[in-house]
């Protein structure tokens, strides 16, 4: 049940749907393609400045900063050599009048590459509405969510609605590549009593996610000419590192099958953990036995598998033990065991189904006429950094509808305009009810 003030908010956001679409379109035009370590900055700073100017004009205090990589690495693992030059983070705070809970709205500004661009129906950097659907790179994942939370905060300010608690609009870099941006926000002290990450959740409120871990496994060979006979390897003959990797690849497949069938790896919202070989490389010349074979595997693990710090040490030990057991069956690998190089470890989380922020988001959506359900993300998103550090209990909720193919990371990525509007409305109502604001407090009690 809503109130007259809440209805004003709903009506104002509905009336401003063209402004909301224009905001998403403007954000899409900034090239913030996700990066590898060493890539030059793109338009990240310009986008953050654009948002900062808008939110400052609406009455927020603005903090835009370039993080210190060493300080961020002390909070959580980031790729070696990563820096934030030209890639600042943003926090815009609307100060409350006092006595209410603070709310953090979070979203990432990086997007994946739109290549191959020639397969798009329209320019991926120039968002376009066709039949009530907005198309463009990032409209779904997740500049649509960033625009919705920005517009929700601006609408509350424009209507003169005073919140009791602080409302923080926070945008970060580097979700798609490493999770380093949200870790940088945690290190900087960005936190609140509750939070909403506006990833596109397809009609769900995400209360959990799997952890993400990567590993490079290297198998050694012995180079030699591929077109001449060789003696046995113990007599100095060549060894094909690609062939030698076969037991390791088979071990990964068997471990994946094991995780899928174990009852202790079940979860109410998430799929079982998994390990998938995603890249393989080996060889130095087309007529030479390869001296090494490198396999990259992506690992997703459940909250129950996390170590005491909420990360993947247990999983790393399990994977290494499984692979080394397979290697122990091969004489070459016994004497030349595979080596492991572990990548960034993004921890899972599970805040439970009954945290107060969950109920506030569900109830706020009902005011807009939408019935959300609880769920989780099988991948990873930035709420993991805030929940993992224990600084903000954060859920995921963003613009998308159950069953709607928003095509994250795909050609002709899209989002329904109605979903953008409903998301902004829900976020605004949730802010009123979570932070406290006159009639919103009354509505929450009715």
């Amino acid at each position: 049940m809503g109130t007259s003030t809440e209805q004003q908010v709903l009506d104002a956001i509905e009336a401003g749907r063209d402004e909301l679409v224009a905001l998403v379109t403007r954000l899409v035009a900034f090239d913030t393609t996700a990066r590898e370590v060493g890539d030059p900055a793109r338009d990240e700073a310009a986008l953050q400045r654009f948002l900062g100017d808008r939110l400052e004009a609406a009455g927020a205090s603005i903090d835009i900063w370039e993080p210190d990589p060493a300080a961020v690495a002390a909070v959580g693992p980031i790729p070696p050599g990563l820096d934030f030059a030209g890639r600042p983070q943003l926090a815009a705070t609307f100060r409350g009048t006092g006595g209410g809970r603070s709310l953090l709205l979070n979203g990432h500004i990086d997007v994946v590459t739109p290549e191959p661009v020639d397969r798009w129906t329209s320019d991926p950097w120039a968002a376009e509405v066709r039949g009530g659907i907005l198309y463009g790179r990032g409209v779904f994942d997740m500049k649509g969510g960033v625009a919705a939370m920005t517009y929700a905060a601006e609408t509350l300010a424009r209507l003169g609605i005073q919140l009791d608690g602080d409302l923080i609009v926070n945008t970060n870099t580097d979700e798609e590549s490493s999770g380093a941006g949200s870790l940088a926000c945690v290190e900087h002290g960005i936190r609140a009593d509750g939070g909403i990450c506006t990833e596109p959740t397809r009609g769900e409120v995400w209360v959990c996610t799997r952890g993400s871990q990567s590993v490079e496994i290297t198998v050694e060979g012995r180079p030699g000419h591929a077109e001449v006979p060789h003696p046995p390897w113990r007599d100095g003959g060549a060894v094909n590192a690609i062939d030698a990797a076969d037991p390791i690849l088979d071990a990964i497949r068997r471990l994946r099958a094991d995780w899928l069938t174990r009852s202790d790896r079940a979860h109410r919202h998430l799929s079982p953990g998994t390990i998938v070989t995603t890249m393989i490389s080996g060889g130095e010349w087309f007529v030479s036995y390869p001296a090494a074979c490198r396999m990259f595997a992506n690992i997703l693990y459940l909250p129950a598998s996390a170590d005491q710090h909420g990360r993947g040490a247990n999983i790393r030990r399990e994977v290494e033990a499984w692979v080394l057991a397979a290697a122990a069956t091969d004489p070459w690998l016994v004497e030349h065991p595979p080596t492991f190089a572990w990548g960034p470890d993004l921890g899972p989380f599970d805040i439970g189904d009954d945290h107060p922020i969950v109920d506030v988001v569900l109830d706020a959506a009902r005011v807009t006429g939408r019935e959300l359900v609880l769920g989780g993300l099988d991948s990873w998103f930035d709420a993991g950094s805030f929940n993992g550090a224990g600084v903000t209990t954060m859920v995921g909720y963003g613009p998308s509808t159950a069953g709607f193919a928003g095509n994250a990371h795909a050609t002709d990525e899209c989002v329904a305009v109605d979903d953008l509007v409903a998301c902004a409305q829900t976020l605004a109502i949730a802010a009123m009810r979570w932070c406290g604001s006159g009639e919103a407090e009354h509505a929450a009690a009715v």
Side-chain angles (χ1 to χ4, degrees):
M1 179 178 180
T3 69
S4 59
T5 303
E6 290 181 344
Q7 190 61 50
Q8 280 185 298
V9 172
L10 298 178
D11 292 344
I13 293 175
E14 173 61 38
R17 64 169 47 223
D18 289 344
E19 295 177 0
L20 178 54
V21 169
L23 176 54
V24 181
T25 302
R26 183 69 185 91
L27 295 179
V28 168
F30 291 101
D31 180 0
T32 54
T33 304
R35 47 118 167 215
E36 299 285 347
V37 173
D39 286 349
R42 302 178 190 268
D43 295 340
E44 294 89 347
L47 185 153
Q48 298 286 46
R49 186 70 263 169
F50 168 77
L51 283 178
D53 288 345
R54 282 188 64 128
L55 291 163
E56 187 173 40
S61 60
I62 305 302
D63 185 7
I64 298 177
W65 77 99
E66 289 186 1
D68 173 12
V72 177
V75 174
I78 65 173
L82 187 81
D83 67 47
F84 294 91
R87 291 183 172 90
Q89 319 303 307
L90 163 68
T93 303
F94 294 86
R95 296 294 178 193
T97 59
R101 296 175 294 192
S102 55
L103 179 67
L104 174 61
L105 302 179
N106 168 265
H108 68 82
I109 64 169
D110 55 325
V111 298
V112 299
T113 176
E115 295 295 341
V117 173
D118 60 0
R119 297 187 184 180
W120 285 69
T121 304
S122 55
D123 184 351
W125 301 114
E128 177 180 298
V129 177
R130 301 194 297 273
I133 307 297
L134 181 63
Y135 294 84
R137 174 53 85 222
V139 296
F140 190 76
D141 185 15
M142 63 169 295
K143 289 179 177 177
V146 168
M149 69 191 199
T150 300
Y151 198 70
E154 289 176 334
T155 300
L156 293 175
R158 186 170 65 250
L159 294 176
I161 295 173
Q162 293 288 310
L163 302 179
D164 299 334
D166 292 348
L167 176 63
I168 306 162
V169 178
N170 169 224
T171 50
N172 59 261
T173 63
D174 295 288
E175 189 269 356
E176 297 289 1
S177 57
S178 64
S182 52
L183 282 175
C185 294
V186 169
E187 186 278 328
H188 195 66
I190 306 303
R191 59 199 63 208
D193 297 316
I196 305 169
C197 182
T198 58
E199 288 276 8
T201 55
R202 289 192 172 92
E204 296 182 339
V205 176
W206 290 339
V207 298
C208 51
T209 187
R210 295 191 294 185
S212 177
Q213 171 80 85
S214 62
V215 64
E216 177 185 357
I217 305 173
T218 300
V219 172
E220 180 183 346
R222 181 183 290 160
H225 201 299
E227 296 179 342
V228 299
H230 285 271
W233 66 266
R234 292 191 185 279
D235 297 327
V239 175
N240 188 321
I242 294 175
D243 290 345
D246 281 346
I248 310 306
L249 292 169
D250 182 62
I252 290 173
R253 287 189 288 266
R254 290 186 290 106
L255 179 58
R256 180 170 63 248
D258 179 72
W259 284 354
L260 285 171
T261 56
R262 285 172 53 175
S263 60
D264 64 331
R265 299 292 170 92
H267 192 278
R268 69 194 187 286
H269 295 309
L270 300 171
S271 300
T274 189
I275 178 171
V276 179
T277 307
T278 54
M279 292 194 297
I280 187 167
S281 65
E284 298 73 39
W285 187 245
F286 71 101
V287 288
S288 296
Y289 278 74
C293 180
R294 290 167 292 279
M295 296 155 282
F296 295 83
N298 175 249
I299 301 165
L300 292 161
Y301 61 97
L302 292 174
S305 298
D307 60 27
Q308 67 270 29
H309 303 295
R311 296 192 181 275
N314 297 334
I315 289 296
R316 291 193 290 275
R317 284 192 291 268
E318 184 175 1
V319 170
E320 289 189 7
W322 197 281
V323 168
L324 292 174
T329 66
D330 181 276
W332 170 262
L333 293 177
V334 168
E335 296 190 20
H336 304 83
T339 60
F340 303 84
W342 291 93
D345 178 13
L346 303 173
F349 74 86
D350 187 345
I351 67 169
D353 294 347
D354 55 0
H355 190 278
I357 189 63
V358 177
D359 291 333
V360 165
V361 176
L362 293 173
D363 289 341
R366 292 187 185 105
V367 175
T368 73
R370 301 209 170 193
E371 192 70 35
L372 306 178
V373 298
L374 299 185
L377 179 63
D378 276 339
S379 183
W380 185 91
F381 69 115
D382 280 322
S385 292
F386 294 95
N387 283 312
V391 298
T392 304
T393 302
M394 182 176 286
V395 298
Y397 163 70
S400 56
T401 303
F404 176 74
N407 297 330
H409 296 202
T411 299
D412 285 348
E413 180 181 351
C414 57
V415 67
V417 175
D418 285 347
D419 290 349
L420 291 170
V421 173
C423 178
Q425 291 173 323
T426 298
L427 294 172
I429 301 302
M432 295 170 67
R433 294 189 173 194
W434 179 261
C435 299
S437 71
E439 290 185 81
E441 295 177 0
H442 171 72
V446 171

